[in-house]
Amino acid sequence: MAQSTREIAAFNLSEIPKTATILYWAFPAKNNRMSNRVTYFEIPSANPDANRQFYEKAFGWQFRQWGAQEYWFAHTGSDGEQGINGAVMKELGPQQPVINTITVDDIDSSLRQIEAAGGKIIKPKKSIPAVGWLAFFTDPDDNIFGVLQEDRKAL
């Protein structure tokens, strides 16, 4: 069964560059960060360059493009301030929602808990080199979330 645009989450993980320099900027090392909290967002856009410029001008966010992909990491404030960082990305379709990602200590355990609680895994666990393990799920209302287990040694 083909997945709808609403079910397709985030960027194409197979196209992730092997260099990790920008990943450390986008995903700083865990510094006593609480697990099971929303720690990242993705804003899909028909015109990500214009949308990126909007957030730069309106809120002072800083952006860095990830390789050649139409994916820009957003640094939304200083590391000592409340808030999370995220990205502006080329939308995969007009119905693609904003996606929030939750950082967890153990992604395998979290995926089992998500399914036991009534969620549905829509993208299984995949490695993001030098960042960790990422999967996507829907809650019972069909909202899409990511779950990320940080692991700098992930390949």
Side-chain angles (χ1 to χ4, degrees), residues 25 45 65 84 129-130 141:
W25 183 79
S45 174
Q65 189 171 4
I84 62 175
D141 277 337

Side-chain angles (χ1 to χ4, degrees), residues 48-49 52 63-66 69-74 86-88:
D49 191 50
R52 177 186 56 79
F63 290 87
R64 290 193 185 169
Q65 189 171 4
W66 191 355
Q69 294 190 64
E70 289 188 272
Y71 194 95
W72 288 264
F73 291 110
V88 171

